[in-house]
């Protein structure tokens, strides 16, 4: 079946492509694109014509690093983000509501708070949570997902007592007498999130699991996203993606970055490799350090703000190098979370040890985030061919907190323009649910670099809109090893595209986030259509 998209303002993102007004979609691929007459001539008689009346078409947006399954899971709990919940009483009210609809046996779950955005300026504690949910476990995740708060029944069920020592990769908040105050930083947070998700998903039917990831996919499709890497893929989520894919419910294409300690399971599961056009798992994920918004990223020097210190490293350097060598030898793309300069340095040492003396980086091993990849580190990453998956949208949403954490070097964070000049391939992403998955926020922030207080972080690092859009299209496709199929609109590529009410390259940067997504197509099939738009794909 031929579908002829006409009267459109098409941004192809293809190198050297001229102006395009029409696009011919045949089955799941683009058959022709360019000037109207030429494309019309290529269409079969009886092709369905979709006139866009001047609306814009861009390639489907790609989120190279997010937590799609967590988005679906946490969306069923309480939204405790700011400004929706401006203070601790508002968070508690939301947890109370969530308790009423949480099935027996599951923990009451909330997420999205940032302690320095709350009126109280602190983390809620177990005593706060006990007042709202006294009689069953409740857990509240920090937006970074690198910290959480447990009430007393949850601490008990998790086996955390007051004499609990800090674990090597984590830290427990304590009151004046040394008793646990319920706040948990790093390591145990991940275990709790995944323990909860595993517990709840194992109780679900295959249909329900497929529904959970399908809903997250619908949310992404409504934002114009057609492909996403889940940077925290485990057996439960990969199984759910496969269940959704088998049922034709996986709206967006998913690339799984499988958590390193489940790589053996992946290799034995039959799920490795390109399973279908919508699902692939060919990468492993390793965490080198903590997060910037939780001030646990491993830095040289120390933080001037709580919890102070110089961050957390999860592995000694030689162990990290051994892991990279092992996964590289098994042909898996390695994606390492590294935010602080000390962590990035260690990761580059590991990559250099494994890739050194070879030609390039054929598996496209990546650094995830890379916030503090300052100039000397970027100068090392570029010749190694390391790909960076970064999150421009953090600049407006979390940038003020970053500037407090690294006051001297805040203008050098996420140095997109410098990285680009150094020749580093940078993929755009959101890290959702850490921040919104909306790629238009990331594109605007890559152009403006303005924090929520109005400060511009690193004015010299602003990107032109075309280059900002490239982060979420051609560059993210490269990071996923899928540039032959997605990332630009060209004959032969998959028909993944988004219809917008205006062209983001001709829009004032401040107004980029006002652009409306009218429809999203994956493989030529509509996966989202705005209900108030007459346009139908
Ligand atoms: Zn992440």
């Amino acid at each position: 079946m031929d579908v002829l998209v006409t009267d459109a303002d098409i941004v192809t993102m293809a190198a050297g492509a001229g102006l395009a007004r029409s696009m011919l979609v045949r089955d799941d691929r683009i058959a022709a694109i360019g000037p109207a007459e030429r494309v019309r001539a290529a269409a079969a008689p009886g092709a369905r014509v979709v006139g866009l009346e001047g609306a814009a078409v861009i390639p489907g947006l790609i989120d190279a690093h997010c937590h799609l399954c967590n988005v679906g899971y946490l969306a069923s709990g309480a939204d405790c983000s700011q400004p929706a919940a401006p203070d601790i009483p508002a968070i508690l009210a939301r947890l109370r509501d969530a308790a009423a609809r949480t099935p027996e046996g599951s923990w009451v779950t909330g997420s999205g708070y940032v302690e320095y955005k709350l009126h109280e300026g602190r983390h809620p504690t177990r005593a706060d949570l006990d007042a709202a949910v006294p009689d069953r476990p409740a857990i509240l995740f920090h937006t970074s997902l690198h910290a959480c708060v447990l009430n007393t029944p949850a601490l008990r069920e998790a086996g955390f007592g007051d004499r609990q020592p800090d674990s090597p990769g984590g830290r427990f908040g304590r009151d004046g007498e040394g008793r646990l105050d319920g706040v948990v930083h790093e390591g145990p947070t991940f275990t709790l999130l995944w323990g909860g998700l595993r517990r709840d998903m194992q109780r679900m039917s295959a249909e329900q699991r497929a529904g959970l990831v399908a809903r997250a996919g619908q949310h992404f499709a409504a934002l114009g996203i057609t492909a996403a890497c889940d940077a925290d893929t485990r057996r439960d989520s990969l199984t759910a993606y496969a269940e959704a894919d088998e049922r034709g419910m996986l709206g967006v294409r998913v690339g799984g970055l499988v958590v390193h300690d489940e790589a053996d399971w992946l290799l034995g599961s039959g799920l490795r490799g390109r399973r279908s056009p919508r699902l692939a798992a060919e990468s492993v994920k390793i965490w080198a350090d903590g997060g910037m918004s939780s001030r646990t990223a491993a830095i040289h020097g120390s933080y001037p703000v709580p919890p102070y210190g110089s961050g957390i490293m999860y592995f000694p350097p030689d162990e990290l190098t051994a892991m990279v060598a092992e996964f590289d030898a098994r042909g898996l793309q390695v994606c390492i979370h590294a935010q602080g300069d000390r962590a990035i340095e260690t990761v580059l040492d590991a990559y250099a040890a494994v890739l050194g003396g070879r030609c390039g980086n054929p598996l496209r091993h990546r650094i995830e985030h890379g916030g503090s990849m300052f100039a000397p580190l970027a100068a090392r990453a570029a010749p190694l061919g390391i790909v960076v998956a970064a999150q421009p949208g953090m600049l407006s949403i979390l940038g003020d907190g970053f500037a407090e954490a690294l006051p001297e070097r805040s203008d050098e964070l996420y140095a997109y323009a410098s990285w680009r000049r150094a020749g580093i391939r940078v993929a755009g992403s959101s890290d959702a649910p850490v921040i919104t998955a909306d790629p238009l926020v990331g594109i605007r922030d890559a152009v403006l670099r303005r924090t929520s207080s109005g400060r511009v972080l690193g004015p010299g690092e602003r990107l032109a809109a075309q280059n900002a859009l490239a982060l979420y299209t051609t560059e993210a496709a490269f990071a996923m090893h899928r540039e032959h199929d997605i990332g630009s609109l060209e004959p032969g590529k998959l028909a993944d595209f988004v219809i917008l009410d205006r062209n983001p390259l001709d829009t004032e940067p401040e107004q980029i986030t006002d652009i409306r997504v009218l429809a999203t197509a994956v493989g030529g099939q509509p996966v989202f259509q705005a209900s108030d738009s007459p346009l139908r794909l």
Side-chain angles (χ1 to χ4, degrees), residues 65 67 369 431:
H65 176 128
H67 303 269
H369 311 297
D431 208 15

Side-chain angles (χ1 to χ4, degrees), residues 172-218:
F172 291 93
R174 294 174 201 275
D175 65 16
E177 268 93 68
R179 286 189 302 257
L180 299 189
D181 67 5
V183 183
V184 177
H185 297 277
E186 297 299 320
T189 308
F190 310 132
T191 315
L192 288 162
L193 175 59
W194 272 95
L197 198 145
R198 176 160 292 175
R199 180 188 58 228
D200 292 347
M201 283 184 99
Q202 283 177 352
R203 248 191 238 134
M204 294 178 190
S205 65
E207 203 69 40
Q208 288 172 318
R209 280 190 294 268
L212 183 145
V213 294
R215 277 193 299 281
Q218 282 158 9

Side-chain angles (χ1 to χ4, degrees), residues 65-67 231 285 287 337 369 431 434:
H65 176 128
C66 64
H67 303 269
K285 170 75 179 295
W287 279 263
H337 167 118
H369 311 297
D431 208 15
V434 172

Side-chain angles (χ1 to χ4, degrees), residues 64-68 229-233 255 257 259 285 287 368 431:
H65 176 128
C66 64
H67 303 269
L68 188 66
C229 290
D230 184 330
D232 196 1
T233 300
L257 312 190
V259 174
K285 170 75 179 295
W287 279 263
E368 307 300 302
D431 208 15

